[in-house]
Amino acid sequence: MTDRAYLKVFHEARAKAFTEAEAASPLMEVPYALRHAAVSTWLNAGVPAPQVAEWAGHSVDVLLRIYAKCVHGQQGEAMRRISEATKR
């Protein structure tokens, strides 16, 4: 199947499944954008990298190489966990 045929079906399905505003979202331009958003959301939610890698069908190495730059705002939580672990 060519990319052109795949995208044609994707865009037709998108138009039927989503509202006009949802379909106009940049996340809906190509299927990969949805995947990237999901994986980034899982990582930013604190889901452990091995679990995200399994769900995404990646190795942990590939996951971290591609998505490490997408993880933001977890330093405080990481420091709290380290502090809790050293108190035990």
Side-chain angles (χ1 to χ4, degrees), residues 28-84:
M28 297 304 296
E29 289 178 9
V30 294
Y32 182 79
L34 290 172
R35 175 187 171 84
H36 185 78
V39 171
S40 299
T41 298
W42 298 336
L43 288 170
N44 277 303
V47 177
Q51 181 63 65
V52 174
E54 181 181 330
W55 290 343
H58 286 307
S59 67
V60 174
D61 177 60
V62 168
L63 177 84
L64 295 178
R65 193 167 359 115
I66 294 170
Y67 292 96
K69 63 186 172 290
C70 299
V71 179
H72 298 286
Q74 294 185 10
Q75 183 175 356
E77 177 62 16
M79 296 305 289
R80 185 193 65 74
R81 288 181 181 181
I82 291 168
S83 178
E84 288 296 317

